[in-house]
Amino acid sequence: MQRLNLLPDYHLNYIKGLTKANSDILEYGHEPLFVSRKKPNRNKVALVSGGGSGHEPLHCGFVGQGMLDVAVPGSVFSSPSAMQISNAISLYCGKDQDVVFIVKNYEGDRMNFEIASELITQHTAIVMVKDDISIEDNSKSRGISGTIIYEKLLGAAAERGDTLHQLKVLATQIEQNIASLGVKLAPPELQLDSEQNVVEFGVGIHGEPGIDSKQGSNCQQVVAEVAQSVSSYLTLNNRDNVLVVVNGLGGMTSAELYVIFEYVSQYFKKYHITIRFSLVGNFVTSLSTYGFSLTVCKMLPSFEALWSWPVKTSSLRW
């Protein structure tokens, strides 16, 4: 079946539809293009994120109470410009309001948010998301599905009144306790449990190839290998409580993602690791890639209250 052609103006029309459908909590600016909370709270640190379109609902879908204040989208897989970012902040944030940028570790995003931080008058901090464990060099590690954990925990902390310094400390704690790994299965016409599947481990969210590929593994074997990689990276043991995010890359059904979560649950139960919180769905996508990523975060006691903090966005609410 042929897919609907969403281009041109894909990201603009997406934002128009998103804000109209959630007009009680969201609004958007057109020049420059950005999404913001409808009711600003300028008595707290503002959380700002953004990046290329094609990863929806990230980032615009996580604007709202308890998460982001502003999201700045670029074109598909392209960073927003530094001027777009700085102008959005000038229009939305108070002139004396501190700002935290949550930035996925890609060259374009990193460069433009760093330049934007120099163009504005507010005090700023840049939180670089580097949760992808497929790249050994931490400085080059990419930001993938763990981004939503940063946005949720930091968003809750900002909502309760944490300072810029406190948010920077929290971001460091998150980085030390989080790991993600992405998987692509091809061709997508095959069944999830087919042993004919070709599996790529360590794929990025812009179509970047994996670091390893295998053929002949069924779904349970694939999930066990991913869970083992993430667990080893975090040195998990039977005293640990964890948050598990099974994130679809855009091409998997919700039923398939819950099958994957069931296999993750079985793996952690075998090793007596407690899944304290979980999230299953399409949150950080790569257009319609048939695959998933697994993110695991050790839940420190200080994290639990922040994860449970009320949130009201178009894509995450409790």
Side-chain angles (χ1 to χ4, degrees):
M1 183 174 66
Q2 188 174 6
R3 289 179 55 83
L4 177 67
N5 184 4
L6 297 175
L7 302 173
D9 295 330
Y10 160 75
H11 63 305
L12 174 59
N13 286 314
Y14 159 70
I15 286 170
K16 286 182 176 179
L18 174 73
T19 52
K20 285 178 182 177
N22 298 276
S23 58
D24 58 325
I25 60 171
L26 298 178
E27 58 187 8
Y28 79 96
H30 182 52
E31 293 183 357
L33 186 62
F34 67 94
V35 174
S36 62
R37 292 169 64 164
K38 192 167 188 175
K39 298 177 180 178
N41 179 359
R42 296 195 171 100
N43 295 316
K44 71 175 193 68
V45 176
L47 260 61
V48 178
S49 193
S53 298
H55 307 304
E56 290 76 20
L58 192 80
H59 297 273
C60 297
F62 301 118
V63 174
Q65 180 184 350
M67 287 190 79
L68 298 176
D69 294 275
V70 177
V72 188
S75 299
V76 175
F77 292 175
S78 298
S79 172
S81 70
M83 193 62 68
Q84 181 185 352
I85 298 164
S86 60
N87 286 346
I89 293 168
S90 297
L91 288 169
Y92 181 83
C93 299
K95 64 179 182 179
D96 297 321
Q97 187 174 14
D98 293 343
V99 178
V100 167
F101 292 118
I102 301 176
V103 183
K104 302 186 302 302
N105 190 31
Y106 297 93
E107 184 177 0
D109 289 345
R110 188 172 60 244
M111 177 182 68
N112 287 328
F113 276 91
E114 286 174 351
I115 293 172
S117 71
E118 297 172 358
L119 293 175
I120 61 178
T121 59
Q122 291 91 340
H123 294 294
T124 64
I126 296 178
V127 170
M128 205 64 67
V129 181
K130 301 180 289 185
D131 59 306
D132 182 2
I133 64 169
S134 70
I135 298 176
E136 293 184 6
D137 184 349
N138 181 256
S139 67
K140 298 179 180 178
S141 184
R142 303 169 294 204
I144 54 174
S145 48
T147 308
I148 60 170
I149 295 178
Y150 279 83
E151 293 181 352
K152 176 65 184 76
L153 298 183
L154 290 168
E159 207 77 51
R160 75 181 178 188
D162 281 24
T163 65
L164 194 67
H165 173 72
Q166 289 171 325
L167 293 173
K168 288 166 64 177
V169 171
L170 174 59
T172 300
Q173 292 174 335
I174 297 170
E175 182 178 353
Q176 293 168 346
N177 290 281
I178 196 169
S180 301
L181 187 62
V183 175
K184 178 182 177 183
L185 294 89
E189 293 80 13
L190 297 178
Q191 295 294 316
L192 184 68
D193 268 322
S194 172
E195 294 194 1
Q196 301 178 64
N197 272 325
V198 176
V199 183
E200 281 189 67
F201 294 89
V203 296
I205 57 173
H206 302 95
E208 302 98 333
I211 59 169
D212 187 24
S213 64
K214 293 184 179 180
Q215 184 168 356
S217 298
N218 64 32
C219 181
Q220 191 165 12
Q221 293 169 331
V222 170
V223 172
E225 187 164 343
V226 174
Q228 193 277 330
S229 296
V230 172
S231 299
S232 295
Y233 183 89
L234 293 173
T235 60
L236 296 180
N237 58 55
N238 59 13
R239 295 187 300 274
D240 288 322
N241 294 326
V242 297
L243 160 65
V244 168
V245 178
V246 173
N247 170 70
L249 296 179
M252 286 188 138
T253 66
S254 59
E256 289 172 318
L257 294 174
Y258 279 109
V259 168
I260 291 167
F261 179 75
E262 170 59 20
Y263 291 149
V264 172
S265 300
Q266 291 175 13
Y267 179 90
F268 283 138
K269 183 177 180 180
K270 179 180 177 180
Y271 293 98
H272 308 288
I273 297 164
T274 301
I275 299 178
R276 183 74 177 85
F277 300 97
S278 59
L279 204 56
V280 179
N282 289 294
F283 304 106
V284 183
T285 61
S286 181
L287 294 176
S288 57
T289 297
Y290 188 74
F292 71 94
S293 56
L294 175 65
T295 297
V296 176
C297 181
K298 282 187 184 179
M299 291 306 281
L300 308 182
S302 58
F303 289 1
E304 295 202 11
L306 294 173
W307 186 257
S308 300
W309 191 280
V311 59
K312 186 177 182 181
T313 71
S314 62
S315 297
L316 206 63
R317 298 188 182 203
W318 57 69

